[in-house]
Amino acid sequence: MSNTTKKYSSRAGELKETDCHTDRKTVHTITQQQGEIFLLDHANFAIQYKGNTRALLPCNLPAALQKAGKKIIFSGVIKETQPEELWGAEPFVLTKAEEK
């Protein structure tokens, strides 16, 4: 494993940050937040949490947590988007996720 590979643990499996939005700046950090998984579109699961009007689109959500309605406790970083980009949710990298 290279020195640039970061791994995080999860009760639903190992989280990897290696290929997740490494070209984007971090704009906000979230720690120990409660959220709920929902199906954003036919192929992507997102996280909605209290107080946030925009959903998070995690690039490294473990398969075991990919179920609409699942409640989780999570931490991670929100990545920047450019004004010309159209995202259905904010790009997000999980650093911790566990089923509530």
Side-chain angles (χ1 to χ4, degrees), residues 31-42:
T31 306
Q32 290 296 105
Q33 183 70 42
Q34 294 182 30
E36 184 174 335
I37 305 295
F38 72 97
L39 191 59
L40 181 64
D41 56 32
H42 69 283

Side-chain angles (χ1 to χ4, degrees), residues 3-95:
N3 291 338
T4 60
T5 301
K6 295 180 184 177
K7 291 187 179 180
Y8 302 98
S9 62
S10 163
R11 289 191 182 160
E14 188 175 62
L15 299 173
K16 296 180 183 178
E17 188 186 12
T18 54
D19 296 321
C20 286
H21 307 303
T22 55
D23 59 333
R24 296 177 182 271
K25 293 179 186 175
T26 296
V27 294
H28 187 68
T29 300
I30 295 173
T31 306
Q32 290 296 105
Q33 183 70 42
Q34 294 182 30
E36 184 174 335
I37 305 295
F38 72 97
L39 191 59
L40 181 64
D41 56 32
H42 69 283
N44 294 296
F45 287 92
I47 302 170
Q48 188 66 53
Y49 66 101
K50 189 175 182 173
N52 186 32
T53 58
R54 196 142 182 238
L56 304 173
L57 183 59
C59 61
N60 60 341
L61 184 66
L65 295 178
Q66 294 180 11
K67 183 177 179 187
K70 191 168 291 257
K71 305 244 188 287
I72 64 170
I73 297 174
F74 69 98
S75 299
V77 292
I78 298 173
K79 297 296 189 167
E80 75 176 342
T81 55
Q82 300 302 318
E84 66 275 5
E85 294 180 309
L86 298 174
W87 283 74
E90 295 185 85
F92 187 69
V93 180
L94 284 165
T95 56

